[in-house]
Amino acid sequence: MSGSIVLFGPPGAGKGTQAGRIVKMTGKPQVSTGDMLRAAVSDGSDLGKEAKEYMDAGLLVPDSVIIGLIVERLKRTDASSGVLFDGFPRTIPQAEALESVANVIAVVSIEVPDDAIVDRIVGRRMDPETGDIYHVEYNPAPLEIEKRLIQRKDDTEETVRSRLLAYHKQTAPLADWYSEKGLLFSVDGNGTIDEVAESIRDSIVGI
Ligand code: AP5
């Protein structure tokens, strides 16, 4: 299928977890603005320094910074048949900017209520070597790699609350925006990781 897919949903909905499976299914490269920003922070670049303040506070990084990152990323040859956006767009101006640089063919919204989100995020652990995502209870890592797992700096209960506020105020309105364009596919994100993956596959298989 030609064109880009957007993975949409609140923080901790499971976008990153599901992205790897959709990449395998579609062959489209994953473009995660969160991962790009974390790489910039760890490189210590000017962009990283600016972004870090927003990320640590659970606020959205300014649209101009994000749009610039995406425009550059889409120039790479692997993006020519479309990509899988994870965590982008997150505001109406980002979505409008995206319209001029990519053809979005589906927006998959993973729906999870706020009360499940805090638990998911506070228990999340990342493997810094592979980027794999685990959860202390719902998706435990193999014992042999447990010691090297890290917790994201913004994965505290306090920061999650700010991220949820930002989501409801600035990002959630995009669901209606994409629904009006006939591009929104909503899936229940409350099942197991495999069940959610199956719902996503069913929703995009025919596009
Ligand atoms: P970003 O990295 O994009 O974070 P996010 O959207 O808050 O999403 P997360 O990565 O927290 O969650 P996820 O949905 O990927 O869930 P995951 O699969 O890990 O952004 C971080 C920050 O960068 C933002 O706050 C902002 O400052 C900035 N930023 C990024 N993009 C931006 C943009 N476009 N504009 C402006 N600013 C931007 O799963 C979470 C946990 O749940 C894991 O432990 C997982 O194992 C577990 N889990 C997953 N699925 C299930 C399931 N079905 N059942 C039980 N547990 C599950």
Side-chain angles (χ1 to χ4, degrees):
M1 68 186 79
S2 183
S4 293
I5 297 173
V6 172
L7 260 183
F8 182 81
K15 302 181 294 296
T17 300
Q18 298 297 338
R21 293 166 184 239
I22 304 174
V23 165
K24 277 193 196 133
M25 187 176 118
T26 62
K28 295 183 187 300
Q30 177 185 2
V31 173
S32 159
T33 40
D35 288 348
M36 291 160 88
L37 293 169
R38 278 184 289 280
V41 170
S42 81
D43 288 351
S45 65
D46 288 345
L47 187 152
K49 284 179 195 145
E50 183 187 354
K52 186 176 186 310
E53 293 191 18
Y54 293 96
M55 295 168 82
D56 287 351
L59 302 173
L60 292 187
V61 173
D63 287 337
S64 56
V65 173
I66 299 290
I67 292 166
L69 274 179
I70 289 292
V71 168
E72 279 310 302
R73 176 62 185 84
L74 293 181
K75 286 180 184 163
R76 284 168 45 185
T77 49
D78 67 343
S80 60
S81 300
V83 303
L84 175 67
F85 291 109
D86 163 7
F88 174 87
R90 260 171 146 106
T91 63
I92 302 274
Q94 289 181 19
E96 286 170 343
L98 181 59
E99 282 197 313
S100 55
V101 287
N103 173 32
V104 173
I105 53 171
V107 176
V108 178
S109 172
I110 306 179
E111 308 207 333
V112 179
D114 285 5
D115 53 13
I117 293 292
V118 176
D119 195 28
R120 282 195 188 186
I121 288 206
V122 173
R124 171 167 51 192
R125 299 293 182 272
M126 316 281 292
D127 181 345
E129 286 184 20
T130 63
D132 288 343
I133 302 166
Y134 296 97
H135 189 281
V136 289
E137 188 181 340
Y138 308 130
N139 184 23
L143 272 181
E144 59 273 21
I145 65 160
E146 231 176 32
K147 282 205 180 112
R148 70 175 190 232
L149 298 184
I150 54 163
Q151 189 168 19
R152 264 170 53 178
K153 196 161 184 284
D154 58 347
D155 277 356
T156 62
E157 188 163 343
E158 192 192 351
T159 311
V160 175
R161 303 255 175 233
S162 308
R163 286 159 65 192
L164 275 171
L165 277 178
Y167 173 76
H168 287 297
K169 196 169 165 206
Q170 294 167 275
T171 307
L174 272 177
D176 283 345
W177 198 83
Y178 278 121
S179 176
E180 280 162 20
K181 293 177 184 291
L183 292 172
L184 192 76
F185 297 83
S186 297
V187 301
D188 180 5
N190 259 325
T192 64
I193 291 171
D194 285 342
E195 285 166 349
V196 177
E198 203 168 313
S199 304
I200 294 176
R201 202 194 49 226
D202 289 348
S203 68
I204 61 173
V205 77
I207 59 169

